[in-house]
Structures are given as C-alpha cells and as structure tokens.
Amino acid sequence: MNAVSSIAPDLGIQRLADFVADFALLIDERPVESALIARGGRLLADLVSHDDWLPQAYAEPDPERYRQYLLYLDPRARFSIVSFVWGRGQATPVHDHRTWGLIGVLRGAEFSERFFRDPEGAIRPAGPVRTVYPGEVEAVSPRLGDIHRVANAYDDRVSISIHVYGADIGKVERATYDRSGQEKPFVSGYYPLPVLIP
Ligand code: FE
C-alpha cells in the first residue's frame, strides 16, 4: 500500500464529518457556554468512543514532542478540531486556552492536572491528577478553569485525544506558566499537514 492510499478514501472519516455537521448546528444555535459544553461534550464523547476513523497520517507521534494536527476549522473560526498525539511519556507545559475547549480521549489515556492562581499570584493544583480514558471528555474555559497540564498516561505507548476549541486555537495568543505564576506568551500552531476536512 502506498502512502496516499493509506490516508485517502477512508469511510471512517464520515464519523468526523458527521460530528462537524452536528457541532456546527449546535454552534448555530448560539447556546450559552454551559449548554455548549454539555451538549458539545456529549457529541465529542460519542466521537471518541469509536476509535475507527482517524487516518494514520493524523495519528503519527513524534519522538521529540507531542503533535497537534488540524482536523477541521470552521469557515468563520467559530470552532476548530485538533488531534493531539502523545509519544511515550510526553506532556504539555502548564498552559491556558482563552476560549472554551473540549478534550476527549480517543486512544490510550491522559493525565489531566488543573491549576488555579492563588491570591499571591502563584499557580497551584486545583485537585488531584485525573486519568482520562477513551470515550471520556474534559472541558476547560476561562469561566470553568482554563489552566491545566496534560500528559500521556503511558510511557510505553502512544495516546491520542481529540480537542474542540471555540477559536482557531493554533493562532490564539495564550500563555504557559511556571509555578511562580509567571506567564510566557505562546501560540501553538499546528503540525504542517493539510487540514483533514477542508
Ligand atoms: Fe490544553
């Protein structure tokens, strides 16, 4: 099999296309954030409870660092969908998003740690580390708590999660944090592969 036929016509992509259509209908209704998170979270939970649709080209790990592949961008940038591919033991820095985000684990498992800023300005854990398994979804937003760190729960295999954000997340100017609360500006970008669903 050559490289093209291994990523091209893939019936599984229909599952993602259906998710995009359903999510766009939800966004068209302009729900309040809590309703968007609840209903969008159920759509995403359904998507990530079936691991039969993500083409291998968008599931490739990198031994150096986690990769973010753009799967879909709404034409008006009302939402974007990204696959996060974790190599063995890889983790994000502590960071924020500055928009709502839904994170659903598709394969493997993730460690999710949430943080808050204490009155002195330091960044502190908001609770125990949670392990998130396939089919499960977490939410972030400036209202719900926007600062977290995510890691591959495994040091011997790849994990993958599917993220939906309320913006073209690869272009959002946001920040990473050290424990003192010092912010460092960051723009994540995307791995340079054509968007999966143009
Ligand atoms: Fe994040």
Side-chain angles (χ1 to χ4, degrees):
M1 194 192 288
N2 65 38
V4 171
S5 67
S6 67
I7 52 173
D10 190 332
L11 287 176
I13 284 183
Q14 190 59 43
R15 230 187 251 293
L16 178 63
D18 290 346
F19 174 81
V20 165
D22 290 343
F23 212 95
L25 285 173
L26 172 58
I27 296 276
D28 286 344
E29 289 181 34
R30 300 172 153 278
V32 296
E33 186 184 279
S34 57
L36 172 61
I37 297 277
R39 293 170 59 192
R42 285 195 288 274
L43 293 174
L44 182 59
D46 184 55
L47 179 70
V48 296
S49 49
H50 302 92
D51 185 6
D52 60 1
W53 56 269
L54 184 65
Q56 181 55 34
Y58 297 81
E60 278 300 329
D62 180 324
E64 297 302 318
R65 59 162 309 186
Y66 60 93
R67 283 191 184 170
Q68 299 158 79
Y69 297 99
L70 181 63
L71 304 183
Y72 180 76
L73 174 62
D74 173 75
R76 282 177 277 161
R78 297 174 305 169
F79 65 101
S80 56
I81 307 174
V82 179
S83 62
F84 256 66
V85 182
W86 306 97
R88 303 164 174 214
Q90 290 172 348
T92 67
V94 178
H95 66 276
D96 65 17
H97 311 82
R98 307 193 181 188
T99 181
W100 58 263
L102 292 164
I103 301 150
V105 173
L106 179 71
R107 192 176 302 170
E110 280 181 4
F111 290 140
S112 163
E113 289 175 87
R114 306 184 76 112
F115 298 86
F116 72 99
R117 209 187 255 291
D118 76 13
E120 285 75 48
I123 297 296
R124 298 201 180 280
V129 178
R130 179 183 168 199
T131 308
V132 191
Y133 294 99
E136 296 180 342
V137 171
E138 290 218 295
V140 290
S141 85
R143 219 168 305 180
L144 290 171
D146 197 33
I147 303 175
H148 74 168
R149 181 165 70 149
V150 186
N152 189 349
Y154 296 107
D155 58 14
D156 62 353
R157 60 172 148 140
V158 169
S159 292
I160 299 177
S161 53
I162 304 301
H163 299 212
V164 186
Y165 299 98
D168 182 356
I169 193 67
K171 292 187 180 157
V172 174
E173 294 183 8
R174 44 200 179 119
T176 60
Y177 297 81
D178 67 21
R179 292 301 169 105
S180 74
Q182 191 77 32
E183 292 186 23
K184 198 166 112 192
F186 118 93
V187 176
S188 65
Y190 301 111
Y191 187 78
L193 202 67
V195 61
L196 177 57
I197 296 184

